[in-house]
Structures are given as structure tokens and as C-alpha cells.
Amino acid sequence: MSERRIVDARGSFCPGPLMELIVAMKQMQVGDTLELLSTDVGSAKDVPEWVRKVGHEMEGTEQDPQGTWHLHVRKKK
Amino acid sequence: MRVLVVGGGMGGTIFANNLARRVASELKSGKVRLTMLSASDKHIYQPGWLYVAMGRMTPDELEREQASLLEPGIAFHVDPVETFHLAENHVTTKSGKVHGYDMLVISTGSRPTPQDVPGLTENSVNCYSAENALQYFERLNTFKGGRIVIAVGLPHKCPMIPLEVTFAMYDFVKDRGLLDKTEFYYTYPIGRVHSLENVAKWAAPEFDRLGIRHETLFNIKSVDGEKAVVHSEEGSEVKYDLLVAVPPHRGQEVIEKNGLGKNGWIPTDRYSLHMEGEHGKNVIVLGDTTNLPISKAGSTTHFEAEVAAENVASVIKIGRSVRSYDGKVFCFIEAGKDRATYAMFNYTTPPQPRAPNGAVHAFKMAYNKLYWASARGLL
Ligand SMILES: Cc1cc2nc3c(=O)[nH]c(=O)nc-3n(C[C@H](O)[C@H](O)[C@H](O)COP(=O)(O)OP(=O)(O)OC[C@H]3O[C@@H](n4cnc5c(N)ncnc54)[C@H](O)[C@@H]3O)c2cc1C
């Protein structure tokens, strides 16, 4: 059964949301999904860029009324 | 109240000394008992290993007897914890002893795990232990020119090390007259040369000015020692003559084995620093072993330890904690052998690093000595 994880990287300047995502993805199995919470506007761009480059899948990106980005990623390999 | 500190490194020591000063009379009267368990009788100032790798310090300068750093009233035992029984409020140690507690503080740090990347251990050097830093220096010392590749695993402690080793090696090679025979090739896991945007904005032009090549979105997948090539998760490959690694890290095995946190990172509340979950009420987590999305650095650990000590003291005195941790981090950035800058930030405010200068470097060199006062809880 595939797992769902939430990684809360709000307020993270260093290592920052993308690094938190990369670390979490390494601990996941193929098929698992992850929701990354980020308050960094750059995440909406750099997370999908990395996800595509490595060959995982973006399942969606939205920003909530409080300004937090929710990025949904599925591990593909 | 029985306070039990597990770990005699930066976090455990600063916490215990700070608390001991705050509750000196309660310790004397026996109202409070403060015990520390560690895996070693030595305290090591790990940031010094960077200088060991460059031949500018020796490992003995970075060590003190742990017992000599502790305030009177702290019972110290070299007897690592093997099992945490959080539901019963006790731990058991390697020697078989049982230590009960009313408040548990865990600061067991992190460990480099280059073995997580195939080929990395055998084919690279790093400055993440005294022994490795000496080997690194040996390799640099016999380096005659070629391509030096810097490769960065995740997560790692001390976020400034990738930049610092690069600038330090640049000066090392320059001083030996080997600059025209050497190519520096810096790689980094995300889309800029450092996680902190403002640091990256300063470092990338600095690399360009010095002729240091850089490739971003490069996560080490494996190292082929025979072909002397590093492969990235993103599909690229780089040839090296000398491979310098910032290895990936995990928390301690004991944390993982006891089910306290995946890969040894304990889920921790970012403000209260209490462990998350049903047993977190009387468990505080400090330093590298938290799962917080902030730098695994001594300064992080130091600021957390101060908050935690103040809170535990106030629980003892007035029955409740008084402070939240705001995510404060302060990192020096050595930008070569004689200049440095720094980055200070918290959960809400990014750093604004200035151009490096000699004064900040001199301050860092002084701090390397002052650290012992800091560990004693005096600074
Ligand atoms: C090369 C290098 C350069 C660095 N430079 C900087 C810098 O410039 N600035 C900065 O802020 N930080 C720097 N750091 C990071 C800093 O050293 C660490 O973040 C800091 O030491 C973390 O403190 P800690 O208390 O979490 O762990 P540690 O200081 O590592 O202490 C862990 C303690 O736990 C003990 N322990 C382990 N297992 C057990 C067990 N089972 N039971 C009981 N005790 C146990 C160990 O013996 C040790 O005493 C650097 C680190 C390195 C390696």
C-alpha cells in the first residue's frame, strides 16, 4: 500500500523546502506521495523543476489563503 | 525533579550547564537532580575539523575532558543509552543501569553515512571526523593538480561546509602555486549554489570571479571509483581527480532502533522543542537529532539549549515554561583562509550576509577558542 506523507517546511530558509523534499523522497517507496508545505514563493518553481528533472511526478500545487504552498509529489523511481 | 540529559555534545552540555546555574540552590538542596549520560568521556569541537583538513589545526586542540566542562552538581556517566522506555519514564544503558526521569532531554547528534551512496566511502575525502580530516589533509598535501569535485549529500550537518571547503581549498591550492593546474568543480543539490538564497547570491559571483565551475541540481547517486566519475540522480556525470564529499547524515542508530524517529530524526515541535506524540510532554529534543526543517548546526543547538534550559528551570520554579524557540541560527561562513562573513536568520527572517572581511574571520578564530566558555554555559 502506498504511503502519504506531509513534510512541513514552512519557515525553512536553510536547508529549505526543496532540500527537505529531496531528503523525504529518499526515505519513500515508489508510488508513495508527499505533500510539501512551504512558505517560500520559490518552491512553486524550483520543486516542480527538480521533480521533473529526476523523473518523479507533480500531482498538484496550490496556495492556501494563509499563503502556504501545498505541493503534491509522487515518487516514480 | 529528575532531569536526565542523553548526549554530552554541544546541546546536552550547554543545556545542562545553563540549567545547573539557574537551579543551583535546588541542586544543592536535592530538590533537583541532574544527570548526563554520554557515549564518550571526551567533548569534541567538531567545527575545528575543517581547519584540520587544511593543516591549520590538530585534533588534540579540539578535545576536552567532558567532566571538566560540567558545572558541579551534574552527575556525569559515560554509559550510552541503549533503550528508551518513554511510557515508563526511564532509559537503560549499555552497562545495564536504569535511569528514571521526570524530564528527559535528548541531544545525541547526527552521524555521517557516506555508505548510503554507493562508492562514496572508498573514493572521497571529507572533514566529518578527526581521522577523515587528517586523511583529507594528506590527500590535499600530495595533490599535484587536476580536477577537484565537491559533491554534497543530504541531509548534512553544518550547511556552510560545502562553500567553506571550496574556498579554503582554493586558497590552499593557490598558496602552493597549483592554481593553474587545478580546476574546481562545485556541485549542489538544489537549483542554486547554497540553500540560503542571499548566500547563494553572494557565492555564485564569487565562484565566477575565482573561476570555480558550478553545477546545481546535482544529487550524488553513486561514485564509480574505477572511472573516477560521480553520477547524479538528475542524470549527469562528472569526472574527478580528487572527490571531496559532504556526506549524507542520519541521526544515531539508537534513535532509529528505539523507533523514536525515521533515520534517527526525532519529530519535534518547532517552538516548544518537545518531542511530538503521546510521550512528548516530558521529552525535549535538541540539536542535530530533531527533524526540524532548520540547519543542523552548533549555533542552532546552542540557541535551542538555552531556550530549553530556561523553560525547564521555570517549570521547576513556577510550574510552567516561559519561552518558545524562534528558529534562530547564526552561522559563520569562512570564505577562504583569511576572510569570512556570517548568516543570521530565524523562522521568519532570512539572512542578509555582507561581503566577507578579515574582522569576521578573526572573530571566528577567536570563537574557536571561546567555544569552551560557551559549552560551560558562560557565553
Ligand atoms: C566539520 C564540521 C564543521 C562544523 N562547523 C560548524 C560551524 O561552523 N558552526 C556551527 O554552528 N556548527 C558547525 N558544525 C555542526 C555542529 O558541530 C553540530 O551541529 C553540533 O555539534 C550538534 O550538537 P548535538 O548536541 O546535536 O550533537 P553532538 O555535539 O554531536 O553531540 C552528540 C553527543 O551524543 C552522545 N551520544 C551519542 N549516542 C549516545 C547514546 N546512545 N547515549 C548517550 N549519548 C550518546 C555523543 O557521545 C555526543 O557527546 C560543524 C560540524 C562539523 C562536522
Side-chain angles (χ1 to χ4, degrees), chain B residues 110 155-159 265 288-292 294-298 300:
Chain B
S110 59
H156 55 260
K157 71 176 145 190
C158 192
W265 313 123
D288 292 352
T289 199
T290 74
N291 76 336
L292 295 178
I294 52 175
S295 311
K296 297 201 180 296
T300 311

Side-chain angles (χ1 to χ4, degrees), chain A residues 3 5 8-16 18-20 22-23 26-28 40 46 49-50 53-54 77, chain B residues 154-155 159 188-190 195-196 217 219 233-234 262-263 265 270 292-295 345-350:
Chain A
E3 261 185 52
R5 276 181 81 159
D8 184 355
R10 287 174 296 173
S12 179
F13 293 113
C14 180
L18 179 53
M19 284 209 199
E20 290 292 327
I22 294 171
V23 170
K26 280 202 271 185
Q27 297 167 10
M28 289 162 44
D40 176 6
D46 66 10
E49 185 187 349
W50 180 79
K53 193 159 182 190
V54 175
K77 50 189 261 206
Chain B
L154 290 181
Y188 202 68
I190 62 169
S195 50
L196 289 164
L217 292 177
N219 284 277
E233 298 278 357
E234 292 77 7
K262 217 169 184 174
N263 284 13
W265 313 123
R270 58 171 68 196
L292 295 178
I294 52 175
S295 311
F345 52 101
N346 61 24
Y347 290 138
T348 52
T349 317

